[in-house]
Amino acid sequence: VRAARAQPADLLAPEQTAVLDALAARKPLLAFDFDGTLAPIVEDPASAHPDAETLAALKRAAALYPCAILTGRARRDLLARFHCLGMAELVGNHGVEWDPPIPQMGAAQRTVAAWAPLLEKALSGDPEVRIENKSFSLALHYRGAGDPKRALAAARSAAALCEGAEVSEGKCVLNLIPHGSPHKGDALKTILSRQRCDSLLFVGDDGNDEPAFQVTNSLEGLSVRVGRSEATSARYFLADQAHVKKLIQALVVRRERT
Ligand SMILES: [Mg+2]
């Protein structure tokens, strides 16, 4: 019989100092989600950007540890707006999109191409649901909708038309990912072995980060959720997005002084 799961702990609380010391003393992978984690959530996703202190901390961290970003965005979307500062890996589309490409990308692309016209037809004339085709997955955004419940219902019924879609609901977004695609947790395992890391930290903020939290836990890494929640597999939390840079800075300081 397993004990009840412990409540998530604040990773930046003084009593967790030894946990961060132990991580920095090994060869960890530092992996981050982007929206809501490295960058604050903003009304217009095209203007989401990490602040200057986060960028500076990330750049220093990337020189000291293998670092990765795992995002639901298309890779090109991040690369176009955000110089990725020596990241060891940048994986897009929730774990599906890699450079160089992985074999599963071809099937995912064909599946998404078949969904797009179905969604365009189902949602034509609905100004509150925006379709974002990211080639290897699709997103239905309803941020800013006047009637979010109605927009969500419309997005859900459109998503139900897409055969083989795994639908995950995020913050004002439905993500449609081809069934069988690698998720962020699978991506973490791949990066760990490529980078020959012996431990890991993963920081995310949303429902689609849960597989990555679970994989992180299974590898005895530090799973960290931005924002406290009872409904998460993450074992640690940060008070809010502004604390992500403090965590990165704490790991930089530990490595620079050794
Ligand atoms: Mg996020």
Side-chain angles (χ1 to χ4, degrees):
V1 179
R2 294 187 62 175
R5 196 167 70 193
Q7 293 294 308
D10 183 346
L11 188 53
L12 291 175
E15 58 270 25
Q16 304 302 334
T17 297
V19 171
L20 290 179
D21 288 344
L23 184 76
R26 298 181 68 170
K27 194 192 173 196
L29 171 71
L30 308 186
F32 304 90
D33 166 56
F34 186 74
D35 290 278
T37 300
L38 291 176
I41 302 263
V42 289
E43 201 60 42
D44 172 16
S47 64
H49 203 276
D51 66 24
E53 286 176 306
T54 304
L55 288 176
L58 204 53
K59 189 174 178 183
R60 286 164 69 201
L64 298 163
Y65 303 92
C67 291
I69 299 175
L70 308 182
T71 178
R73 292 183 184 242
R75 287 184 88 254
R76 65 172 182 276
D77 180 6
L78 278 200
L79 289 168
R81 291 177 312 99
F82 162 58
H83 183 57
C84 288
L85 307 168
M87 296 289 115
E89 298 274 3
L90 169 59
V91 184
N93 272 286
H94 311 281
V96 190
E97 188 186 9
W98 297 71
D99 183 25
I102 58 167
Q104 294 95 319
M105 285 166 63
Q109 197 165 22
R110 287 189 291 278
T111 302
V112 168
W115 294 341
L118 301 174
L119 292 168
E120 278 155 24
K121 193 171 170 210
L123 292 166
S124 71
D126 191 328
E128 301 205 308
V129 183
R130 183 173 66 82
I131 304 169
E132 185 187 8
N133 185 339
K134 297 182 281 186
S135 299
F136 308 100
S137 76
L138 254 155
L140 302 177
H141 297 275
Y142 59 98
R143 183 167 297 279
D147 183 351
K149 273 191 186 157
R150 187 212 60 81
L152 172 60
R156 280 180 180 156
S157 58
L161 302 171
C162 297
E163 207 175 312
E166 285 192 1
V167 181
S168 74
E169 300 195 3
K171 292 170 181 167
C172 299
V173 64
L174 251 63
N175 297 300
L176 281 67
I177 302 166
H179 178 75
S181 299
H183 55 53
K184 283 187 178 183
D186 298 319
L188 274 179
K189 287 185 190 169
T190 301
I191 300 171
L192 272 179
S193 80
R194 283 187 183 180
Q195 298 295 327
R196 302 173 189 279
C197 293
D198 64 4
S199 52
L200 103 126
L201 166 107
F202 173 73
V203 191
D205 73 308
D206 206 351
N208 61 0
D209 295 312
E210 292 295 327
F213 293 144
Q214 287 154 15
V215 163
T216 302
N217 294 342
S218 74
L219 299 170
E220 297 180 1
L222 305 186
S223 53
V224 188
R225 188 181 186 281
V226 177
R228 190 172 196 160
S229 166
E230 308 294 303
T232 180
S233 300
R235 293 192 175 146
Y236 296 90
F237 70 90
L238 298 172
D240 56 29
Q241 191 273 327
H243 283 74
V244 173
K245 60 173 160 272
K246 294 189 167 36
L247 173 60
I248 301 171
Q249 287 161 350
L251 290 166
V252 165
V253 164
R254 280 167 169 79
R255 189 57 74 86
E256 284 184 341
R257 78 188 175 202
T258 54

Coordinates of all heavy atoms in Angstrom, one line a residue, residues 65-111:
Y65 N 25.0 23.7 -18.1 CA 24.2 22.5 -18.1 C 23.6 22.3 -19.5 O 23.3 23.3 -20.2 CB 23.0 22.6 -17.2 CG 23.3 22.9 -15.8 CD1 23.2 24.3 -15.3 CD2 23.4 22.0 -14.8 CE1 23.4 24.6 -14.0 CE2 23.6 22.3 -13.5 CZ 23.6 23.6 -13.1 OH 23.7 23.9 -11.7
P66 N 23.4 21.0 -19.9 CA 22.5 20.8 -21.1 C 21.1 21.3 -20.8 O 20.6 21.0 -19.8 CB 22.5 19.3 -21.3 CG 23.6 18.7 -20.5 CD 23.8 19.7 -19.4
C67 N 20.6 22.2 -21.7 CA 19.3 22.8 -21.4 C 18.4 22.5 -22.7 O 18.9 22.5 -23.8 CB 19.4 24.3 -21.2 SG 20.2 24.8 -19.7
A68 N 17.1 22.4 -22.4 CA 16.2 22.1 -23.5 C 14.9 22.8 -23.3 O 14.5 23.1 -22.2 CB 15.9 20.6 -23.6
I69 N 14.3 23.2 -24.4 CA 12.9 23.7 -24.4 C 12.0 22.7 -25.1 O 12.3 22.3 -26.2 CB 12.8 25.1 -25.1 CG1 13.8 26.1 -24.4 CG2 11.4 25.6 -25.1 CD1 13.8 27.5 -25.0
L70 N 10.9 22.4 -24.4 CA 9.9 21.5 -25.0 C 8.6 22.3 -25.1 O 8.0 22.6 -24.0 CB 9.6 20.3 -24.1 CG 10.8 19.4 -23.7 CD1 10.4 18.2 -22.9 CD2 11.6 19.0 -24.9
T71 N 8.2 22.7 -26.3 CA 7.1 23.6 -26.4 C 6.0 23.0 -27.3 O 6.2 22.1 -28.1 CB 7.5 24.9 -27.0 OG1 6.4 25.8 -27.2 CG2 8.2 24.7 -28.4
G72 N 4.7 23.4 -27.1 CA 3.6 23.1 -28.0 C 3.7 23.8 -29.3 O 3.1 23.5 -30.2
R73 N 4.5 24.9 -29.3 CA 4.6 25.7 -30.5 C 5.4 25.0 -31.6 O 6.1 24.1 -31.2 CB 5.3 27.0 -30.2 CG 4.5 28.0 -29.3 CD 5.3 29.2 -29.1 NE 4.7 30.1 -28.2 CZ 4.2 31.4 -28.5 NH1 4.3 31.8 -29.8 NH2 3.6 32.1 -27.6
A74 N 5.2 25.5 -32.8 CA 6.1 25.0 -33.9 C 7.5 25.5 -33.5 O 7.7 26.6 -33.0 CB 5.6 25.5 -35.2
R75 N 8.5 24.7 -33.9 CA 9.9 25.1 -33.6 C 10.2 26.4 -34.3 O 10.8 27.3 -33.7 CB 10.9 24.1 -34.2 CG 11.0 22.8 -33.4 CD 12.0 21.9 -34.0 NE 13.3 22.1 -33.4 CZ 14.3 22.8 -34.0 NH1 14.2 23.2 -35.2 NH2 15.5 23.0 -33.4
R76 N 9.7 26.6 -35.6 CA 10.0 27.8 -36.3 C 9.5 29.0 -35.6 O 10.0 30.1 -35.7 CB 9.5 27.7 -37.8 CG 8.0 27.6 -37.9 CD 7.5 27.7 -39.3 NE 6.1 27.7 -39.3 CZ 5.3 26.6 -39.3 NH1 5.9 25.4 -39.3 NH2 4.0 26.7 -39.3
D77 N 8.4 28.8 -34.9 CA 7.7 30.0 -34.2 C 8.7 30.5 -33.1 O 8.9 31.7 -33.0 CB 6.4 29.5 -33.7 CG 5.6 30.5 -32.9 OD1 6.0 31.7 -32.9 OD2 4.6 30.2 -32.3
L78 N 9.3 29.6 -32.4 CA 10.2 30.0 -31.3 C 11.5 30.6 -31.9 O 12.0 31.6 -31.5 CB 10.6 28.9 -30.4 CG 9.6 28.6 -29.3 CD1 10.3 27.8 -28.2 CD2 9.0 29.8 -28.6
L79 N 12.0 29.8 -33.0 CA 13.3 30.3 -33.5 C 13.2 31.6 -34.2 O 14.1 32.4 -34.2 CB 13.7 29.2 -34.6 CG 14.2 27.9 -34.0 CD1 14.3 26.8 -35.0 CD2 15.5 28.1 -33.2
A80 N 12.0 31.9 -34.7 CA 11.8 33.2 -35.4 C 11.8 34.4 -34.5 O 12.3 35.5 -34.8 CB 10.5 33.2 -36.2
R81 N 11.4 34.2 -33.3 CA 11.2 35.3 -32.4 C 12.1 35.3 -31.2 O 12.2 36.3 -30.5 CB 9.7 35.3 -31.8 CG 8.7 35.6 -32.9 CD 7.3 35.5 -32.3 NE 7.2 34.3 -31.5 CZ 7.2 34.3 -30.2 NH1 7.4 35.4 -29.5 NH2 7.1 33.2 -29.6
F82 N 12.8 34.2 -31.0 CA 13.5 34.1 -29.7 C 14.8 33.3 -30.1 O 14.8 32.2 -30.4 CB 12.6 33.3 -28.8 CG 13.2 32.7 -27.6 CD1 13.9 33.4 -26.7 CD2 13.1 31.3 -27.4 CE1 14.5 32.8 -25.5 CE2 13.6 30.7 -26.2 CZ 14.3 31.5 -25.4
H83 N 15.9 34.0 -29.9 CA 17.2 33.3 -30.1 C 17.4 32.3 -29.0 O 17.3 32.7 -27.8 CB 18.3 34.4 -30.2 CG 19.6 33.7 -30.5 ND1 19.9 33.0 -31.6 CD2 20.8 33.7 -29.8 CE1 21.1 32.6 -31.6 NE2 21.7 33.0 -30.5
C84 N 17.6 31.1 -29.3 CA 17.4 30.0 -28.3 C 18.7 29.8 -27.5 O 18.8 28.8 -26.7 CB 16.8 28.8 -28.9 SG 15.0 29.1 -29.2
L85 N 19.7 30.7 -27.5 CA 20.7 30.8 -26.5 C 21.5 29.6 -26.2 O 21.8 29.3 -25.0 CB 20.0 31.3 -25.2 CG 19.2 32.6 -25.3 CD1 18.4 32.7 -24.0 CD2 20.0 33.8 -25.5
G86 N 21.8 28.8 -27.2 CA 22.7 27.7 -26.9 C 21.9 26.5 -26.3 O 22.6 25.7 -25.6
M87 N 20.6 26.4 -26.5 CA 19.9 25.2 -26.0 C 20.4 24.0 -26.7 O 20.7 24.0 -27.9 CB 18.4 25.3 -26.3 CG 17.7 26.5 -25.7 SD 17.5 26.3 -23.9 CE 18.5 27.6 -23.3
A88 N 20.6 22.9 -25.9 CA 21.0 21.6 -26.5 C 19.9 21.1 -27.4 O 20.3 20.5 -28.4 CB 21.3 20.7 -25.3
E89 N 18.7 21.2 -27.0 CA 17.6 20.8 -27.9 C 16.4 21.7 -27.8 O 16.2 22.3 -26.7 CB 17.0 19.4 -27.4 CG 18.0 18.3 -27.5 CD 18.1 17.6 -28.8 OE1 17.5 18.0 -29.8 OE2 18.9 16.6 -28.9
L90 N 15.7 21.9 -28.9 CA 14.5 22.6 -28.9 C 13.5 21.7 -29.6 O 13.6 21.4 -30.8 CB 14.6 23.9 -29.7 CG 13.4 24.7 -30.0 CD1 12.6 25.1 -28.8 CD2 13.7 26.0 -30.8
V91 N 12.5 21.2 -28.9 CA 11.5 20.3 -29.5 C 10.1 21.0 -29.5 O 9.7 21.6 -28.5 CB 11.4 19.0 -28.6 CG1 10.4 18.0 -29.2 CG2 12.8 18.4 -28.4
G92 N 9.5 21.0 -30.7 CA 8.2 21.7 -30.9 C 7.1 20.7 -31.0 O 7.2 19.5 -30.9
N93 N 5.9 21.3 -31.1 CA 4.6 20.5 -31.3 C 4.5 19.4 -30.2 O 4.2 18.3 -30.5 CB 4.6 19.9 -32.7 CG 4.0 20.8 -33.7 OD1 2.8 21.0 -33.8 ND2 4.8 21.4 -34.6
H94 N 4.7 19.8 -29.0 CA 4.4 18.9 -27.8 C 5.3 17.7 -27.8 O 4.9 16.7 -27.1 CB 2.9 18.5 -27.8 CG 2.0 19.6 -28.0 ND1 1.6 20.4 -26.9 CD2 1.3 20.0 -29.1 CE1 0.7 21.3 -27.4 NE2 0.5 21.1 -28.7
G95 N 6.4 17.7 -28.5 CA 7.3 16.5 -28.4 C 7.4 15.8 -29.8 O 8.2 14.8 -29.9
V96 N 6.7 16.2 -30.8 CA 6.7 15.6 -32.1 C 7.8 16.1 -33.0 O 8.3 15.4 -33.9 CB 5.3 15.7 -32.8 CG1 5.2 14.9 -34.1 CG2 4.1 15.5 -31.9
E97 N 8.1 17.4 -32.9 CA 8.9 18.1 -33.9 C 10.3 18.3 -33.5 O 10.6 19.0 -32.5 CB 8.2 19.4 -34.3 CG 8.9 20.1 -35.5 CD 8.4 21.5 -35.7 OE1 7.7 22.1 -34.9 OE2 8.8 22.1 -36.8
W98 N 11.2 17.7 -34.2 CA 12.7 17.7 -33.9 C 13.4 18.2 -35.2 O 13.0 18.0 -36.3 CB 13.2 16.3 -33.6 CG 12.5 15.7 -32.4 CD1 11.2 15.2 -32.2 CD2 13.1 15.5 -31.1 NE1 11.0 14.8 -31.0 CE2 12.2 14.9 -30.2 CE3 14.4 15.7 -30.6 CZ2 12.5 14.5 -28.9 CZ3 14.7 15.4 -29.3 CH2 13.7 14.8 -28.5
D99 N 14.6 18.6 -34.9 CA 15.6 18.9 -36.0 C 16.9 18.3 -35.6 O 17.5 18.7 -34.6 CB 15.7 20.5 -36.2 CG 16.6 20.8 -37.4 OD1 16.8 19.9 -38.2 OD2 17.2 21.9 -37.4
P100 N 17.4 17.3 -36.3 CA 16.8 16.7 -37.6 C 15.6 16.0 -37.3 O 15.3 15.5 -36.1 CB 17.9 15.8 -38.0 CG 18.8 15.5 -36.9 CD 18.7 16.7 -36.0
P101 N 14.7 15.8 -38.3 CA 13.4 15.2 -38.1 C 13.5 13.8 -37.6 O 14.5 13.1 -37.9 CB 12.8 15.2 -39.5 CG 13.6 16.2 -40.3 CD 14.9 16.2 -39.7
I102 N 12.4 13.3 -36.9 CA 12.3 12.0 -36.5 C 11.2 11.3 -37.4 O 10.4 12.0 -38.0 CB 11.9 11.8 -35.0 CG1 10.6 12.6 -34.7 CG2 13.0 12.4 -34.1 CD1 10.0 12.3 -33.3
P103 N 11.3 9.9 -37.5 CA 10.4 9.2 -38.4 C 8.9 9.5 -38.2 O 8.1 9.6 -39.2 CB 10.7 7.8 -38.2 CG 12.1 7.7 -37.6 CD 12.2 9.0 -36.8
Q104 N 8.5 9.7 -36.9 CA 7.0 9.9 -36.7 C 6.5 11.2 -37.2 O 5.2 11.3 -37.3 CB 6.8 9.9 -35.1 CG 7.1 8.5 -34.4 CD 8.5 8.5 -33.9 OE1 9.4 9.0 -34.5 NE2 8.6 8.0 -32.7
M105 N 7.3 12.1 -37.6 CA 6.8 13.4 -38.1 C 6.1 13.3 -39.4 O 5.1 14.0 -39.6 CB 8.0 14.4 -38.2 CG 8.5 14.9 -36.9 SD 10.1 15.7 -36.9 CE 9.7 17.1 -37.9
G106 N 6.4 12.3 -40.3 CA 5.8 12.2 -41.6 C 4.3 11.8 -41.4 O 3.4 12.4 -42.0
A107 N 4.0 10.8 -40.6 CA 2.7 10.4 -40.4 C 1.8 11.5 -39.7 O 0.7 11.7 -40.0 CB 2.7 9.1 -39.5
A108 N 2.5 12.1 -38.7 CA 1.8 13.2 -38.0 C 1.4 14.3 -39.0 O 0.3 14.9 -38.9 CB 2.6 13.8 -36.9
Q109 N 2.3 14.6 -39.9 CA 2.0 15.7 -40.9 C 0.8 15.3 -41.8 O 0.0 16.2 -42.1 CB 3.3 16.0 -41.7 CG 3.3 17.3 -42.4 CD 4.7 17.6 -42.9 OE1 5.6 16.8 -43.1 NE2 4.9 18.9 -43.2
R110 N 0.8 14.1 -42.2 CA -0.3 13.6 -43.1 C -1.6 13.7 -42.4 O -2.7 14.1 -42.9 CB 0.0 12.2 -43.6 CG 1.1 12.2 -44.7 CD 1.2 10.8 -45.4 NE 1.7 9.8 -44.5 CZ 3.0 9.6 -44.2 NH1 3.9 10.4 -44.7 NH2 3.3 8.6 -43.4
T111 N -1.6 13.3 -41.1 CA -2.9 13.3 -40.3 C -3.4 14.7 -40.1 O -4.6 15.0 -40.3 CB -2.6 12.6 -38.9 OG1 -2.1 11.3 -39.1 CG2 -3.8 12.6 -38.1

